[in-house]
Amino acid sequence: MSNPTLRLRAAGSAAAAVVLALSLAACAPGAAPERTTTSAAQSALPSAHVHGLSVGADGKVLLATHEGLFDVTADPVKVGPTIDLMGFTAAKDPGTFYASGHPGHDSTLPNPVGLIRSTDGGATWEEVSRQGESDFHTLTTTKSGIVAFDGTVRISQDGSTWEAVNAGFAPAALAGNPESDTVLATTEAGIQRSTDGGRTWALQEGGPVIQFAAFAGGLDAVGVEPNGTVHTSSDGGTAWAPKGRLEGQAMAVAATGSGDSLRIFAATSTGVFVSDDGGASFQPHGG
């Protein structure tokens, strides 16, 4: 990471850390970011509070929100019960998702819901573990299991039995992929990276301060700074290259494809946007 083009100036890093710290504070129960609607290219969001974004191999685009899960492939359609999906991630099998958070008015789940799983695209959810104990504000899947954060970084091979990891940081977001055991954790100090499914971590010195990150596969990754600058990595999050910039406050990011075919999706305060040129430019999704 000695390439000077990838280094942030000290002042810029400090400013980004402040914004990232505020975003971490905003994840506290009961807090919700304000929604801004200033973009001329605005597309409707089903909720002002988006926690997760998933794009399937079939092109289906899902938003995990304070009001539940929505299919926003075309016009927003509610999927399943109302659950405040604080943490949300896709598993390897199509239509299978893991989530965490708090039950809504039409849910009989305990509070917090712990780890829950859906095998029908989010239409129904089953309890897996840590019901009434954990509100995982961020979680992700890896080749060897699940990595999650509820105030403590925890790892699990089966979603039922958990091991606490003394990571020494509080991630704003966790990013992994079922094809690999590489995990990225975004923090105020920079990206923490694990290559063993979240068991051990190392700070990536000199890289960008990323707020949201996502893998498109085992190696291709995307990251967004608090100021909206988009970065991509083709080596699993070791080296990063700056691309374009998102308008509005980013809330979640996802990616599909690889190399020149990399597509980046982002949910911001002004809508859902997609890039077909590796993050250089973004257009409203479905626009």
Side-chain angles (χ1 to χ4, degrees), residues 158-183:
D158 57 6
S160 298
T161 303
W162 294 86
E163 177 184 346
V165 176
N166 186 21
F169 57 82
L174 292 166
N177 187 278
E179 296 180 10
S180 167
D181 273 334
T182 299
V183 189

Side-chain angles (χ1 to χ4, degrees), residues 91 96-98 115-117 126-130 136 140-147 154-163 197 199:
T96 299
F97 300 95
Y98 289 98
L115 183 72
I116 54 177
R117 176 176 55 218
E126 62 179 340
E127 300 174 15
V128 180
S129 64
R130 297 192 66 81
F136 293 117
T140 192
T141 54
T142 67
K143 188 175 182 178
S144 61
I146 301 170
V147 185
R154 302 181 189 274
I155 59 176
S156 175
Q157 292 185 342
D158 57 6
S160 298
T161 303
W162 294 86
E163 177 184 346
R199 189 172 298 277

